[in-house]
Amino acid sequence: PDWSPDGTKIAFADGSALYVMDADGTNKNAVLSLPKTLPEGKLAKPTAVAWSPDGGSIAFIGLIEDESYRSTGGYYSQGVYILDLASRNLKLVTKGVIYYAREYIQRYKEFSWSPDGSKIVLYLGAETKDYKAGVYTLDLATGGLTFLLDTSKTQWHPSGNWVAYPGSILRI
């Protein structure tokens, strides 16, 4: 789930729908019901969600049934979608990272919008043939992914108070 920028609403994915409700849990409304057949395939399920900074759109990770992946053991690809709440227009921003239902590895995991609304930062949880695991930015105008950080080389400090990763450390 994710809070709206003004804190009055919550967006969340539940089963085969994307919902928005008031912050107190009332007025639950499905803003997108699935499955929905789109040019890229059958959009089967939304997962993680994030409000745009202006509150007018919701980005989500959608699982797309894709027969072309069946030969490799996959059942779904994943896409990052943006739903305009006023018009209910749905835009696919990027697609192509395989989601293997049999192995249950979710590739795109966590994400959030940039303050100006032009990019999304996301975590790719497992290496693919085209991308290594790590943190990326997704340009919403072009759909291009830019690698930022390799998260595979994290190390705990012996004290247990710090985690180091290439280029920085985090206090825990």
Side-chain angles (χ1 to χ4, degrees):
D2 193 34
W3 291 92
S4 63
D6 65 6
T8 63
K9 306 249 183 230
I10 299 170
F12 63 98
D14 185 18
S16 61
L18 185 63
Y19 293 93
V20 172
M21 69 180 176
D22 291 343
D24 65 3
T26 62
N27 297 318
K28 177 181 166 185
N29 293 301
V31 294
L32 180 66
S33 295
L34 301 173
K36 187 177 196 79
T37 301
L38 302 169
E40 62 273 7
K42 183 177 175 185
L43 180 55
K45 181 180 178 182
T47 59
V49 300
W51 284 88
S52 64
D54 67 5
S57 300
I58 297 172
F60 67 94
I61 297 168
L63 301 183
I64 306 159
E65 290 182 8
D66 194 332
E67 291 294 323
S68 67
Y69 290 120
R70 288 227 187 253
S71 64
T72 63
Y75 301 102
Y76 298 96
S77 61
Q78 284 186 309
V80 175
Y81 286 87
I82 297 176
L83 176 67
D84 181 281
L85 293 171
S87 68
R88 297 294 199 260
N89 285 336
L90 190 60
K91 176 185 175 188
L92 174 65
V93 181
T94 189
K95 176 194 170 201
V97 178
I98 297 172
Y99 175 93
Y100 286 101
R102 185 173 54 208
E103 296 174 20
Y104 210 71
I105 298 171
Q106 185 172 325
R107 303 297 179 146
Y108 292 136
K109 294 187 110 162
E110 302 294 332
F111 66 107
S112 99
W113 293 73
S114 63
D116 69 1
S118 67
K119 294 180 182 174
I120 288 176
V121 64
L122 59 86
Y123 171 64
L124 184 60
E127 191 167 319
T128 70
K129 80 175 177 114
D130 296 319
Y131 300 101
K132 59 184 169 180
V135 178
Y136 289 79
T137 57
L138 169 61
D139 186 302
L140 297 179
T142 66
L145 286 169
T146 302
F147 179 77
L148 294 179
L149 176 68
D150 180 354
T151 57
S152 66
K153 297 180 176 91
T154 56
Q155 293 282 323
W156 279 100
H157 184 270
S159 71
N161 295 325
W162 299 87
V163 173
Y165 57 91
S168 192
I169 58 171
L170 294 174
R171 180 148 176 85
I172 304 297

